[in-house]
Amino acid sequence: MVSTAALVQRLHRVLDPEVPALSVMDLGIVRDVTATPDGCEVCLTPTYTGCPATERIERDVREALEELVGAGNVRVRTVLDPPWTTDWISEEGLRKLEDYGIAPPPKRSADKRSLLGIRTPLACPKCRSTDTERIAAFGSTACKALHRCLECREPFEAFKCI
């Protein structure tokens, strides 16, 4: 029997197809991993209903874990309650987003102003200036918005706070 720790370690190498700087563990969509005598079970929560990457992520997770426990021995369950939130992105994941050039979302629990609809300027991931503006509600994917830094003039995407 493969240990749960080995399964989790393997999941740290499964990348999000839309933001390949993050693993599924960084993203916080893996809710539970359990080793069983005949394989394993993993519970995933999609980032949002209708995310086009959900099926690909499920397939990638299954294939990665089957390398450890054997083909046909991985059960993947989708868990929708509670719904995923950007608060579930790990601290390492937030750093990886910024290093990749995507402004990470603010922690909703720490930024009460965002709950009131008051926008706090995002820091440019390239020069760290907060003199930025949103130029489009959607970036390359629905979970990101397009912004521009008014200091260095570089465009950048920002992960939306959900």
Side-chain angles (χ1 to χ4, degrees):
M1 187 164 115
V2 175
S3 72
T4 299
L7 297 169
V8 168
Q9 183 178 10
R10 181 63 183 100
L11 289 172
H12 276 284
R13 296 191 339 235
V14 177
L15 301 179
D16 176 11
E18 291 183 338
V19 185
L22 298 179
S23 75
V24 294
M25 297 301 291
D26 295 325
L27 197 52
I29 62 172
V30 177
R31 298 287 292 281
D32 188 41
V33 183
T34 306
T36 63
D38 60 341
C40 68
E41 178 177 279
V42 61
C43 298
L44 301 175
T45 296
T47 54
Y48 67 93
T49 304
C51 174
T54 300
E55 289 179 13
R56 167 88 183 271
I57 290 170
E58 182 178 322
R59 185 193 73 211
D60 291 352
V61 164
R62 183 181 311 280
E63 289 175 358
L65 295 179
E66 283 180 343
E67 291 176 9
L68 296 176
V69 300
N73 295 324
V74 176
R75 180 172 177 226
V76 178
R77 283 193 318 119
T78 300
V79 178
L80 301 176
D81 187 32
W84 179 84
T85 169
T86 49
D87 284 343
W88 293 1
I89 299 173
S90 70
E91 290 299 319
E92 183 178 350
L94 295 173
R95 283 190 299 278
K96 287 178 179 180
L97 276 172
E98 193 166 43
D99 290 346
Y100 191 66
I102 298 173
K107 291 287 190 180
R108 288 196 320 188
S109 57
D111 185 4
K112 302 295 185 208
R113 294 169 47 91
S114 69
L115 295 174
L116 299 173
I118 301 167
R119 294 186 191 215
T120 302
L122 293 174
C124 171
K126 294 175 177 62
C127 75
R128 303 297 307 142
S129 170
T130 56
D131 190 10
T132 63
E133 66 180 350
R134 186 173 82 173
I135 56 177
F138 296 98
S140 61
T141 63
C143 59
K144 294 179 287 203
L146 188 58
H147 291 251
R148 173 179 40 224
C149 178
L150 300 173
E151 180 89 14
C152 71
R153 308 301 294 169
E154 289 291 322
F156 64 94
E157 289 187 303
F159 212 89
K160 293 178 185 174
C161 185
I162 298 174

